[in-house]
Amino acid sequence: MSDGARYVFEVSDDAGERLDLLVAKHAQCSRTQAATLIATGHVRVNGGKQKASYRVGVADAVTVTVPPPPGRDIVPEQIPLDIVYEDEHLLVVDKAAGMVVHPAPGNWTGTLVNALMGRGEPLAEGGGEDRAGLVHRLDKDTSGLLVVAKTDASHRILSTALAARQVTRRYAAVCWGHLTEDTLTVDKPIARDPRDRTRMAIVQTGKAARTDFVRLARFDSVDLLRAHLHSGRTHQIRIHLSSVGHPVIGDDTYGGGGGRKLAALPPRRHFLHAAWLRFKHPVSGAVIDLRSPLPADLRLSLATLGEMPELATHQDPLDVFGFYRTDELPGARGAAER
């Protein structure tokens, strides 16, 4: 459900369903949110109001108008950021785990956007004030590289390149268990989980999503993977790995949260890091190739899981396992080769 959005649909296969359930499905919101929209007059059936319990008919036309949230100023904040690239057109942030990317209910302050605004530099306005400059996003507990546009022209060009799969984004992930092969492609559509609107899920009517995985190392209980995104759905890597029975370790939402002590992971941290970003500069056309070494908490986790204590202090353990090789099959490595 998007603030300010308007949904119009005709009832067909859903005839006989309660209005609140129908609205929740089509507007991608919770049943409680749907009931609130109905009670506040933001849902019309054939132009008139109905109760949440109303059973829709096959000829009914339903209109849902989602009201915008009450105005709330986004406050600039002086929050340190790790900027790994910057010019007058864009910048690239190496985001720390635990930082929310943009303001939203429950997280109006302390976000990346608050920090970007606090720098006093210009930011693209195309995405709205609460998403100022953002070209793409990372989950709160995912660390790594993220592009921010300073001008609307750069934002437009970079967003188009992202949609055309001309921006290479590769993530380091550790999953529970072992893939059956050294390479795996998961091509499954993603949408809001119809049973829990706070989560995403594999839904046949969802948006197309593809992720390529390459196993870089096989340890006793986990695999170290390189994930290559071909699309950018919310929680995509986490959902795709969970769907094949190998969730990201530390992922409490999608089944990988157990074994935190074994993995030496801190609370609310999963092993997913946006380590490699490659794209053409929106103005000069020059190739920008940026790499983010594993942060200290993930280095320690990898050293523990792989029984390789030297990795905890290595400058970039991903280099050890061929993460940055340009061929698509670096080959499996692991304890057996040590």
Side-chain angles (χ1 to χ4, degrees), residues 10-17 22 25-26 56 58:
E10 294 183 354
V11 177
S12 53
D13 297 337
D14 301 308
E17 190 166 37
L22 185 73
K25 179 167 67 174
H26 285 273
V56 295
V58 70

Side-chain angles (χ1 to χ4, degrees), residues 205-330:
T205 57
K207 294 182 178 179
R210 173 184 165 185
T211 314
D212 293 337
F213 297 98
V214 175
R215 176 165 53 206
L216 302 177
R218 176 186 172 114
F219 300 124
D220 285 346
S221 56
V222 301
D223 280 348
L224 170 64
L225 307 175
R226 185 181 70 190
H228 180 193
L229 286 177
H230 290 270
S231 48
R233 310 305 175 204
T234 303
H235 302 172
Q236 179 172 322
I237 293 172
R238 298 161 61 192
I239 292 166
H240 275 174
L241 283 174
S242 180
S243 75
V244 296
H246 299 290
V248 173
I249 67 171
D251 189 348
D252 298 313
T253 303
Y254 298 107
R260 219 170 257 286
K261 185 175 181 180
L262 174 66
L265 277 176
R268 296 179 296 280
R269 177 64 153 129
H270 51 239
F271 201 120
L272 185 59
H273 179 67
W276 194 4
L277 181 65
R278 183 182 173 90
F279 60 96
K280 286 187 177 180
H281 192 281
V283 176
S284 71
V287 174
I288 307 295
D289 190 314
L290 299 169
R291 304 174 183 188
S292 169
L294 285 181
D297 55 354
L298 298 189
R299 290 201 308 269
L300 176 60
S301 178
L302 190 63
T304 302
L305 291 164
E307 299 180 2
M308 301 171 68
E310 66 274 18
L311 295 182
T313 55
H314 194 284
Q315 183 176 356
D316 189 357
L318 296 179
D319 249 342
V320 175
F321 300 101
F323 182 91
Y324 303 107
R325 290 175 60 176
T326 56
D327 55 307
E328 288 303 312
L329 182 58

